[in-house]
């Protein structure tokens, strides 16, 4: 028996729902959808007061992003515990080992560095930027894919 | 009032998780062109986003004094390509972009805490060396 909620959601349900956050955030508070800048919020929590200025980030202005990403984690918890019939793995087994954790840390570092350097990620460039038909965001999106493809095929080739 | 953004995040997190776009396996299938799921999900999100922006622009033209939506695009730098490429590598390694890091953690995949830690330190490192990078 298939179940529309408990099974995994098809793209034609999920994609439009994700895209709907563009107008929702504009209408709620004239906010542009974007997630990677929230990382700076965590940076500002760990930096001493006198060095926070290097972040060029205003934690008060952007506090909504912290609420948003904490909400994401809660939503995921709800999704796996109350809205799923089967338990599914999102990460391969290998990432539960020491070497895997190092890989995740390194990959995370590239995500943090890369998205700040690119001034956006899949949400800010690929969804928000492209929705605005802002063409530099298309360049960024193509660069995301170029990086991912390069890594994926290098790994396939060498291992 | 900020709690409303938390509630938005909850719904966003549910959709990310139920559509499995936070899955390392789905990301790998995307980069290997084994499955159209990711492309169709992101593509249809952009279509809905673009139509919404078009509609909001129409509304704004009708009553320009009432609403001024923030439609400003980001200022382009060389980082769009250089940084974007590095992020793409990180995406392929971890199976997560910034939003899904938080959903992987919420879904109970505790190793994603290492992705998160790396991402915060990566963003911090960028802030420290920003002025030395090509812009």
């Amino acid at each position: 028996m298939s179940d529309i909620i408990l099974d995994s959601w098809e793209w034609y349900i999920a994609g439009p729902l994700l895209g709907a956050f563009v107008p929702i955030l504009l209408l709620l508070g004239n906010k542009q959808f974007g997630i990677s800048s929230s990382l700076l919020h965590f940076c500002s929590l760990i930096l001493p007061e006198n060095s926070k200025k290097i972040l060029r980030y205003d934690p008060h202005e952007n506090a909504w992003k912290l609420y948003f990403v904490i909400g994401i984690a809660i939503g995921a918890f709800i999704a796996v515990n109350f809205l799923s019939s089967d338990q599914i793995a999102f990460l391969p087994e290998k990432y539960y080992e020491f070497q895997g954790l190092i890989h995740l840390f390194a990959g995370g570092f590239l995500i943090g560095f890369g998205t700040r350097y690119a001034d956006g990620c899949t949400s800010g460039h690929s969804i928000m930027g492209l929705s605005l038909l802002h063409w530099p965001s298309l360049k960024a999106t193509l660069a995301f894919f170029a990086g991912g493809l390069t890594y994926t095929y290098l790994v396939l080739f060498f291992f | 009032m900020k709690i409303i953004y938390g509630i938005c995040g909850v719904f966003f997190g549910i959709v990310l998780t139920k559509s499995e776009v936070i899955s390392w396996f789905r990301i790998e299938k995307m980069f290997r062109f084994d499955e159209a799921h990711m492309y169709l999900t992101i593509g249809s999100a952009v279509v809905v986003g673009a139509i919404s922006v078009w509609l909001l622009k129409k509304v704004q033209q009708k009553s320009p004094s009432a609403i001024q939506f923030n439609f400003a695009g980001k200022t382009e730098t060389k980082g769009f390509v250089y940084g974007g490429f590095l992020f793409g590598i990180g995406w392929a390694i971890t199976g997560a972009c910034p939003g899904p890091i938080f959903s992987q953690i919420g879904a109970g995949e505790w190793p994603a805490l290492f992705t998160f830690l790396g991402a915060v330190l990566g963003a911090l490192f960028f802030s420290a060396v920003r002025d030395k990078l090509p812009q």
Side-chain angles (χ1 to χ4, degrees):
Chain A
M1 262 299 276
S2 67
D3 187 295
I4 195 163
I5 299 288
L6 298 180
D7 287 347
S8 73
W9 295 2
E10 297 292 342
W11 65 268
Y12 48 81
I13 310 282
L17 286 175
L18 296 179
F21 283 86
V22 169
I24 288 172
L25 292 175
L26 279 168
L27 289 165
L28 273 180
N30 211 4
K31 313 261 188 238
Q32 285 203 1
F33 179 47
I35 295 176
S36 63
S37 46
S38 70
L39 294 171
L40 296 175
H41 209 101
F42 295 94
C43 295
S44 84
L45 295 178
I46 55 176
L47 276 185
E49 204 56 48
N50 56 3
S51 23
K52 283 190 202 301
K53 62 180 182 300
I54 66 161
L55 299 174
R56 299 187 199 166
Y57 176 85
D58 180 353
H60 294 291
E61 178 75 12
N62 293 293
W64 71 275
K65 291 181 177 172
L66 186 66
Y67 285 78
F68 194 79
V69 297
I70 291 170
I72 289 177
I74 296 170
F77 180 84
I78 293 170
V80 295
N81 288 291
F82 304 109
L83 301 173
S84 300
S85 48
D86 302 316
Q87 216 180 359
I88 38 170
F90 294 108
L91 286 175
E93 284 284 316
K94 62 177 182 185
Y95 283 148
Y96 278 81
E97 291 158 17
F98 178 74
Q99 214 186 355
L101 297 175
I102 301 294
H103 270 105
L104 287 180
F105 178 83
F109 194 89
L110 290 171
I111 294 172
F113 183 88
T115 54
R116 290 332 303 144
Y117 194 12
D119 195 21
C121 60
T122 337
S123 55
H125 277 308
S126 308
I127 296 183
M128 187 71 219
L130 293 185
S131 293
L132 292 169
L133 309 183
H134 183 57
W135 300 120
S137 286
L138 181 62
K139 268 194 215 174
T141 301
L142 292 175
F144 302 164
F145 278 92
L149 288 172
T150 304
Y151 175 79
T152 302
Y153 285 93
L154 282 179
V155 167
L156 276 181
F157 189 75
F158 286 109
F159 298 97
Chain B
M1 267 316 284
K2 290 196 181 83
I3 197 71
I4 191 86
Y5 297 105
I7 295 165
C8 282
V10 169
F11 283 103
F12 193 75
I14 289 174
V15 182
L16 283 180
T17 309
K18 286 305 300 177
S19 60
E20 296 172 15
V21 300
I22 68 162
S23 162
W24 182 91
F25 303 96
R26 295 276 193 178
I27 305 300
E28 204 210 13
K29 285 177 183 157
M30 167 179 74
F31 284 131
R32 294 175 70 158
F33 300 104
D34 281 347
E35 190 181 76
H37 181 78
M38 287 295 303
Y39 294 102
L40 291 167
T41 304
I42 297 175
S44 57
V46 173
V47 170
V48 168
I51 292 172
S52 315
V53 167
W54 180 79
L55 280 171
L56 292 178
K57 279 185 176 162
K58 288 273 166 211
V59 171
Q60 187 165 285
Q61 277 166 4
K62 283 256 163 65
S63 53
S65 58
I67 325 156
Q68 278 300 325
F69 286 113
N70 176 11
F71 291 137
K74 295 169 190 282
T75 311
E76 191 182 0
T77 67
K78 292 200 172 79
F80 276 37
V81 170
Y82 300 157
F85 188 86
L86 294 176
F87 159 52
I89 297 173
W91 192 10
I93 294 175
T94 63
C97 35
I101 294 175
F102 297 98
S103 24
Q104 286 182 354
I105 293 170
E109 296 280 17
W110 63 262
L113 288 167
F114 283 74
T115 315
F116 172 68
L117 190 65
V120 171
L121 293 178
L124 189 57
F125 181 68
F126 167 75
S127 300
V129 301
R130 175 192 337 240
D131 294 333
K132 297 187 179 70
L133 298 168
Q135 293 292 333

